[in-house]
Amino acid sequence: MDLSPIVGKIDVIRRRVRSLILVDGFSRALLLAFACAVLTFLIDYFVPKVPLQVRFTLLVVSLGSVAWAIWRYVAYPLGVRITDDDIALCVEKQYPDLNDRLISAIQLSREGPQYARFNSPQLVDSLVAEALRESGNLDFSPVISGATTRKLALWTAVAAAALAGIGIWQKDAVRIWALRLVSDSVQWPKKTRIAVVSPAAREVTVAKGDDLTVEIETSGVLPKKATLYYRFSSAGEPVQRPMRAEGGGKFRFDFPKVIEPVEFWIEAGDDETETYKVAVLNPPTVEKVTLLYDYPDYTGLKDTSPTAPVEDGNIVAPVGTKVKVSAWTNLDIAQAKILVGARGEEDIRDIEVRANAQGQPRVVMAEVDVRTNTHYALWLKATNGLQTSSPVRYSIKATEDKAPEIRISEPNADKHATPQAMIPLRVATIDDFGVTELKLIIRTNAPNKPEQVVPLDAFNTESYPAKRIDTEYVFDMATLGFKEGTVVQYQVVAKDGREIPQANETKSRVFQFTIIKREDMLKRIEDMLARIREELRRIIAFQESGRADTNRLMDVLGKKDLLETMERQAVNAAGANQRRITQHLERVLREFEEIVKDMKYNKLFEGSAENKLKKPEDMLRALAVTKSPDVATLISQAASLAQGSDRFDKLAKTDTDQEEILNDLNTILALLTEYETYMEVVRHVRELLNNAIRNRDEMRKIQPK
């Protein structure tokens, strides 16, 4: 049976495939050609002084790449044979309802009569007829999608149009590029322009020994570097040096202390300047300098009298002093400037030129504010055009700026802490002229915790600079991730605003936290409380002895008016004993306050524990700060009284106050014992709860799921 209708459709698909291959392949080759053209253009246009050999190599590589693309995407695909079976299989895939009838019909009809003994002709005809019937009305065109090829062709057309438009717009640039692919006879227009700012003329004169500054500004395409070529006395090979970039296409080069004629020229980008020539002559100089000091009010120093100026150019004065500088020169001066500051970083300003006693303009006047240790120099330009070659630099020595003082009030010792602790660091930093920087350095023994530097700006009470800054920073051990066994070292570093030679820096001593378990911390505190109770018992014994001494003095001295030396010494000794008791109380108070802080900062208080410690702390503070010192004062006053009755009254009041101190001490001791019992109960309850939690967890583990 005739399959020509199906074969015709298959031929249409085959021709369409080849057309798509041609469009796709040439589109790819054209895009590659466009890319190569753009790349070679950009390299030649933006890279300065590309050699002809490089440009020619790029041309050969580009042509080779395009040739390869034509072979890979056009010649090679077109050489691949597309059979009827291939297309039939694609149709079957597009229309699954054909159920392999199309491919079977094509293959069976192709076998011919030589296989008739294997296939029934009637069956083959029936199959072919059925294939014709099923596929006769089908559209084979969806088998091959040309969407991707059309997109590629569209992009190729867009690229071609864009390049054509750019080529028309920049036809001169395209022409130069095309010619430069094979020749060096054509050059690009200069992209960089050099303008010499200093010196202002091609031929200038400078003072012998003076510095010569060369400055340029570039425009157009700004180069990244500029090179200066120079030679002295127009002899020898030129020396090349890079110029210092100062941003915005500006470059600078300094000739220090020129002592002979020099000529130079500059290259930057693709531009080059003409040759500049510099002549050298002797300069004007300073012969004498006098100073008048105007001190700030806070110093209390007397200002220098105008009739007796200091004949010295070097300035020594406190910060804030104003100094009037007068200098006599060897030549008539047309212009003068003062340069204050480090070399190369001077603050430059014009100064006054006055006539000397002979009417010659040879005296220059300037005013200097003493701010820091630095230097100043006088720049002179004579009426004959000469300038100072190498101005003498005079020193400015300010009153010494002391380094900042760091006072760490809390914690001011090495401490133990729990992983949940939040411990404040309180620092007072003092400087005579002002603190400008504060930072905290934290180091640990943990391998995964590098050194941390924490600026303390956000934790300061004052903004920089300030003469006093109070700082509070909180060590949050949980947030910082410090675990048990970690040793945390910290140090405070402060700087002031001194500039010359550098800022003063003060480092505190290195403190440390040792992170321990909560239970271990509680045990340490219990031990410290035990030591405090023991110390309180000793203080009670001392106070009882002191009260006994007071009673004995009352009995022995009575109301005696005049005391003998030994008697007066005995009274003074009683006062000294009370002062020693006060010192013991102060030490116990400090230790007790540290315990309360440690418990608070380490979050060790449970229940009403904090309130139970507040009363003994308040009572202890009253004893150490007020009651015991007052008793010592009473005894001292008693020793100095002339009237026996007055002395007896003082000693009687002392006895009463000492009794009150003893009562308070016993109350404090009882409260601490009560607190110990309370904490024992709390600890026992906590252990019971922990055991219950552990038992519950173990029961959950063994319960069947």
Side-chain angles (χ1 to χ4, degrees):
M1 183 171 287
D2 187 11
L3 285 176
S4 58
I6 295 176
V7 173
K9 288 184 176 183
I10 289 174
D11 288 339
V12 171
I13 296 300
R14 184 181 292 109
R15 288 192 297 272
R16 185 179 179 189
V17 169
R18 294 187 178 278
S19 299
L20 291 176
I21 289 173
L22 284 171
V23 174
D24 181 86
F26 279 111
S27 296
R28 293 175 184 269
L30 284 173
L31 287 175
L32 180 60
F34 295 159
C36 290
V38 171
L39 179 63
T40 55
F41 179 87
L42 293 176
I43 290 175
D44 191 32
Y45 188 82
F46 288 104
V47 179
K49 300 180 181 179
V50 179
L52 176 61
Q53 295 86 343
V54 175
R55 301 198 299 272
F56 186 75
T57 301
L58 290 174
L59 175 62
V60 172
V61 171
S62 299
L63 293 176
S65 299
V66 173
W68 173 84
I70 293 174
W71 175 84
R72 173 64 179 81
Y73 296 108
V74 179
Y76 178 76
L78 288 177
V80 177
R81 182 170 175 267
I82 304 175
T83 65
D84 293 347
D85 292 356
D86 295 331
I87 298 175
L89 289 173
C90 292
V91 174
E92 292 277 3
K93 186 176 181 181
Q94 180 70 25
Y95 301 106
D97 292 341
L98 290 176
N99 199 20
D100 296 336
R101 286 191 289 270
L102 178 60
I103 185 63
S104 299
I106 292 174
Q107 290 176 344
L108 290 174
S109 64
R110 189 189 306 122
E111 291 177 353
Q114 64 268 32
Y115 297 106
R117 64 180 182 274
F118 301 110
N119 300 319
S120 169
Q122 293 81 5
L123 182 60
V124 171
D125 290 344
S126 175
L127 180 60
V128 171
E130 186 177 357
L132 286 171
R133 184 173 61 256
E134 293 292 335
S135 61
N137 295 326
L138 295 178
D139 183 8
F140 284 9
S141 60
V143 173
I144 302 299
S145 175
T148 302
T149 303
R150 286 193 295 272
K151 289 181 181 179
L152 186 60
L154 178 61
W155 281 112
T156 304
V158 170
L163 289 178
I166 294 173
I168 295 172
W169 175 44
Q170 296 289 339
K171 59 182 179 180
D172 292 336
V174 173
R175 179 184 61 81
I176 294 173
W177 163 70
L179 293 174
R180 284 177 54 80
L181 288 174
V182 294
S183 173
D184 255 344
S185 60
V186 179
Q187 298 294 326
W188 289 105
K190 287 188 180 296
K191 295 176 283 188
T192 301
R193 291 289 183 271
I194 301 175
V196 179
V197 177
S198 176
R202 288 183 54 200
E203 295 186 4
V204 294
T205 300
V206 299
K208 186 176 183 179
D210 203 356
D211 296 339
L212 172 65
T213 299
V214 179
E215 293 180 317
I216 65 169
E217 291 183 354
T218 59
S219 58
V221 178
L222 301 182
K224 294 183 179 180
K225 64 178 182 178
T227 304
L228 182 139
Y229 297 84
Y230 70 91
R231 57 188 168 207
F232 290 103
S233 303
S234 301
E237 293 295 322
V239 179
Q240 67 179 51
R241 291 288 185 271
M243 302 185 72
R244 184 171 71 248
E246 298 192 330
K250 297 180 180 180
F251 295 87
R252 175 184 176 129
F253 184 87
D254 294 316
F255 286 100
K257 298 182 179 180
V258 179
I259 59 175
E260 59 179 312
V262 63
E263 63 180 21
F264 66 88
W265 63 95
I266 301 166
E267 289 185 1
D270 56 0
D271 197 11
E272 179 179 340
T273 68
E274 296 179 338
T275 300
Y276 281 69
K277 296 183 179 181
V278 180
V280 178
L281 297 176
N282 289 326
T285 58
V286 173
E287 294 182 332
K288 184 179 77 170
V289 179
T290 63
L291 306 174
L292 294 175
Y293 289 98
D294 180 10
Y295 297 106
D297 294 338
Y298 74 90
T299 63
L301 299 175
K302 186 178 180 181
D303 296 341
T304 306
S305 171
T307 59
V310 177
E311 294 191 10
D312 186 1
N314 298 314
I315 297 173
V316 180
V319 173
T321 303
K322 295 183 180 298
V323 184
K324 293 182 179 179
V325 180
S326 301
W328 281 258
T329 65
N330 64 331
L331 297 176
D332 293 350
I333 303 302
Q335 184 184 9
K337 296 182 180 181
I338 187 169
L339 296 75
V340 181
R343 193 184 300 274
E345 301 177 0
E346 297 95 343
D347 175 26
I348 304 173
R349 63 179 187 273
D350 292 326
I351 56 178
E352 182 182 2
V353 179
R354 293 184 180 180
N356 60 12
Q358 292 74 34
Q360 300 168 311
R362 295 192 177 186
V363 181
V364 296
M365 309 287 291
E367 188 173 278
V368 175
D369 292 334
V370 178
R371 299 296 183 188
T372 184
N373 292 336
T374 185
H375 296 82
Y376 75 94
L378 299 172
W379 177 88
L380 308 172
K381 182 178 181 181
T383 54
N384 60 6
L386 299 179
Q387 301 176 8
T388 304
S389 57
S390 181
V392 177
R393 298 181 65 81
Y394 301 96
S395 65
I396 302 176
K397 186 176 181 181
T399 299
E400 181 183 1
D401 185 354
K402 297 180 181 179
E405 179 184 355
I406 299 175
R407 301 174 185 173
I408 298 179
S409 59
E410 185 180 347
N412 57 2
D414 297 341
K415 307 285 285 185
H416 290 79
T418 65
Q420 295 79 35
M422 296 182 67
I423 303 177
L425 170 66
R426 294 186 174 94
V427 183
T429 309
I430 302 170
D431 186 73
D432 47 2
F433 296 110
V435 180
T436 61
E437 181 182 354
L438 271 174
K439 61 184 178 181
L440 176 67
I441 300 176
I442 304 175
R443 309 180 186 91
T444 72
N445 62 345
N448 60 338
K449 293 287 185 182
E451 177 179 292
Q452 300 181 51
V453 178
V454 181
L456 296 177
D457 309 29
F459 309 97
N460 295 332
T461 57
E462 304 292 336
S463 300
Y464 301 132
K467 291 187 176 181
R468 178 187 175 94
I469 296 178
D470 293 310
T471 306
E472 181 170 336
Y473 171 84
V474 178
F475 283 95
D476 188 341
M477 304 304 179
T479 301
L480 293 171
F482 297 144
K483 306 296 183 182
E484 296 167 3
T486 303
V487 177
V488 183
Q489 294 184 333
Y490 64 94
Q491 185 179 42
V492 178
V493 179
K495 290 184 179 181
D496 64 12
R498 191 177 73 170
E499 298 179 355
I500 304 297
Q502 61 188 12
N504 285 314
E505 182 180 272
T506 300
K507 296 182 179 179
S508 72
R509 86 167 179 85
V510 177
F511 296 90
Q512 72 178 34
F513 296 112
T514 302
I515 310 302
I516 61 176
K517 296 180 180 179
R518 175 188 176 90
E519 293 76 14
D520 295 341
M521 191 69 184
L522 284 171
K523 181 64 171 60
R524 292 181 61 85
I525 289 177
E526 289 172 0
D527 293 342
M528 288 189 287
L529 285 173
R531 289 196 296 272
I532 286 179
R533 291 196 300 273
E534 187 62 30
E535 181 66 18
L536 285 174
R537 293 187 183 98
R538 285 195 291 271
I539 293 174
I540 290 173
F542 293 151
Q543 189 63 71
E544 288 174 345
S545 176
R547 188 186 179 200
D549 291 340
T550 302
N551 290 325
R552 188 163 46 254
L553 289 172
M554 292 171 64
D555 293 338
V556 172
L557 301 179
K559 296 184 179 180
K560 183 178 180 181
D561 290 336
L562 296 177
L563 297 180
E564 297 179 2
T565 302
M566 295 294 292
E567 293 171 336
R568 187 178 295 107
Q569 289 177 350
V571 177
N572 288 329
N577 288 335
Q578 190 64 47
R579 284 191 292 273
R580 282 192 289 272
I581 291 173
T582 301
Q583 293 172 354
H584 286 288
L585 287 170
E586 289 172 348
R587 184 174 65 252
V588 171
L589 175 62
R590 289 194 297 270
E591 294 177 357
F592 193 87
E593 289 175 339
E594 286 300 316
I595 290 173
V596 173
K597 289 177 182 178
D598 286 346
M599 295 194 68
K600 179 180 179 181
Y601 297 155
N602 288 279
K603 302 181 180 179
L604 299 178
F605 284 121
E606 297 185 12
S608 61
E610 185 173 4
N611 293 330
K612 288 183 177 296
L613 287 180
K614 187 176 189 318
K615 184 175 180 180
E617 182 183 9
D618 292 341
M619 294 181 68
L620 190 57
R621 182 176 295 106
L623 289 175
V625 175
T626 305
K627 293 184 177 181
S628 183
D630 289 349
V631 169
T633 301
L634 284 173
I635 297 174
S636 298
Q637 291 174 351
S640 62
L641 292 175
Q643 298 294 324
S645 58
D646 294 339
R647 183 184 312 106
F648 186 88
D649 292 340
K650 289 286 185 184
L651 291 176
K653 179 68 168 60
T654 298
D655 177 70
T656 303
D657 291 347
Q658 287 177 329
E659 181 181 10
E660 183 179 345
I661 290 173
L662 284 169
N663 292 335
D664 288 350
L665 287 171
N666 285 298
T667 301
I668 293 171
L669 190 58
L671 289 172
L672 292 181
T673 303
E674 178 184 343
Y675 176 80
E676 182 184 18
T677 304
Y678 172 82
M679 289 304 299
E680 187 65 29
V681 173
V682 170
R683 181 167 56 253
H684 182 65
V685 171
R686 186 170 62 249
E687 289 176 356
L688 291 176
L689 289 174
N690 291 337
N691 290 335
I693 292 172
R694 284 195 296 270
N695 292 335
R696 182 196 63 192
D697 294 339
E698 291 178 359
M699 291 295 294
R700 288 178 177 176
K701 292 179 181 178
I702 64 176
Q703 285 180 354
K705 297 182 180 179

